[in-house]
């Protein structure tokens, strides 16, 4: 038996053709959808609806209110409490290909492999779709969707509300922006800049997007950021930062776990820091870890930490410079274990002394 490899199995044209012939389509993404998941769902749904193909968006897990507001007009279904009925003849799964990320919908999707299209930019995933297009070099899943939407013949200016807001171009930009730290990460290369220019020319309102996505936190978020930063421990010659938020912090501030995204990036502003980790424990016995690392100073140098590999040590994963994992132990145990794992990862990458 050969090991499964998570890679493309169908061309963009074949996927576009399959989509065109669909009667009623379900579009979904990973649990607790982020900007790329929401942007990808919105882009696919708007493109298919533009072709008069009945399309529903299904989201699962907590959706932050700012992202939910962007796609209010698409009237997404939430699973749970609802679960889809049987009348979808095509399911499109975007920005993930992993069963573990598909939450309550995994049971529904598990019996429908032949009618699932997967579109993704992650390195790892499962064999859940019969037609799959994976481009791990793409900065966002929305970037992977652009040639598909072009193949469908739908203009990027399509969609949006009566106010002319949140078109396909803006949905694509949402994913591209949020998955690249607003056009900063290594993954945002020349093709990203070219796409960004195309999106602006298609009328994407970047300033409005920033205000809607980045500037609408609740005060609780910045209070949690303060606690996270106060907890920061600099390890391994200050190359590694470990931050932890416990149940006490959640209780004291009244913050929700889903409003902490991005806090893990803040220690990256410190010179010499190669990897940053934020551990959060919002319920007993369950710790969530977010990992970030910097690309090497010199292109091609092996001196960087692959946090996808670090997270994989604990059954998690993601990207080279951004990943996550879950731990079923106490915060203290996770901290001790990570300290060792990160120490050996730094050593293996050639950071010594
Ligand atoms: Mn993504």
């Amino acid at each position: 038996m050969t090991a499964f490899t998570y890679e493309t199995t169908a061309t963009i044209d074949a996927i576009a053709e399959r989509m065109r012939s669909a009667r009623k389509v379900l579009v979904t993404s990973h649990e607790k959808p982020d900007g790329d998941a929401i942007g990808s769902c919105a882009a696919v749904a708007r493109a298919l609806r533009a072709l008069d193909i009945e399309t529903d968006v299904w989201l699962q897990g907590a959706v932050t209110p700012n992202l939910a507001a962007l796609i209010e007009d698409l009237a997404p279904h939430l699973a749970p409490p609802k679960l889809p009925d049987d009348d979808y003849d095509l399911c499109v799964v975007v920005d993930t290909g992993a069963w573990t990320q598909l939450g309550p919908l995994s049971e529904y999707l598990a019996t429908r492999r032949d009618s699932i299209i997967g579109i993704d930019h992650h390195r790892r995933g499962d064999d859940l779709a019969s037609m799959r297009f994976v481009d791990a070099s793409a900065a966002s899943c929305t970037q992977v969707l652009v040639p598909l939407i072009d193949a469908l013949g739908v203009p990027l200016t399509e969609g949006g509300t009566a106010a002319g807001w949140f078109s396909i171009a803006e949905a694509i930009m949402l994913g591209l922006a949020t998955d690249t730290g607003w056009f900063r990460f290594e993954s945002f290369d020349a093709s990203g800049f070219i796409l960004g220019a195309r999106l602006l020319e298609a009328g994407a309102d970047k300033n409005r997007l920033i205000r809607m996505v980045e500037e609408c936190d609740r005060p609780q978020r910045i209070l949690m950021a303060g606690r996270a930063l106060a907890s920061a421990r600099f390890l391994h010659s200050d190359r590694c930062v470990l931050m932890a938020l416990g149940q006490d912090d959640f209780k004291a501030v009244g913050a929700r776990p889903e409003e902490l995204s991005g806090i893990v990036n803040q220690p990256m502003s410190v010179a010499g820091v190669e990897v940053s980790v934020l551990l959060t424990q919002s319920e007993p016995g369950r710790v969530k870890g977010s990992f970030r690392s910097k690309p090497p100073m010199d292109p091609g140098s092996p001196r960087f930490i692959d946090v996808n590999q670090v997270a994989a040590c604990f059954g998690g994963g993601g990207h080279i410079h951004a990943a996550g994992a879950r731990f079923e132990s106490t915060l203290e145990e996770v901290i001790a274990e990570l300290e060792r794992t990160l120490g050996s990862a730094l050593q293996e990458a050639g950071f010594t002394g």
Side-chain angles (χ1 to χ4, degrees), residues 34 36 95 121-122 140-141 179 319:
D34 58 5
D36 195 25
D95 198 34
H121 71 129
H122 291 88
S140 67
C141 185
D179 263 20
H319 304 278

Side-chain angles (χ1 to χ4, degrees), residues 244-320:
L245 290 167
Q247 286 174 273
D248 292 349
D249 297 303
F250 282 95
K251 229 174 272 167
V253 172
R256 296 186 288 257
E258 68 269 17
E259 61 190 335
L260 306 183
S261 69
I263 292 176
V264 63
N265 296 314
Q266 294 195 10
M268 291 308 205
S269 64
V270 178
V273 165
E274 293 294 332
V275 50
S276 170
V277 180
L278 173 62
L279 299 171
T280 53
Q281 182 177 40
S282 56
E283 51 185 302
R286 300 203 71 193
V287 176
K288 196 188 152 237
S290 296
F291 303 81
R292 297 291 184 274
S293 66
K294 286 179 186 167
M297 189 89 92
D298 306 309
S301 160
R303 276 168 64 94
F304 68 93
I305 301 300
D306 180 348
V307 288
N308 181 39
Q309 249 172 47
V310 174
C313 295
F314 305 99
H319 304 278
I320 294 175

Side-chain angles (χ1 to χ4, degrees), residues 21 45 69 86 111 125 131 157 187 227 245 273 287:
S21 68
D86 262 335
T111 57
M131 295 180 103
T157 48
S187 57
R227 282 172 178 255
L245 290 167
V273 165
V287 176

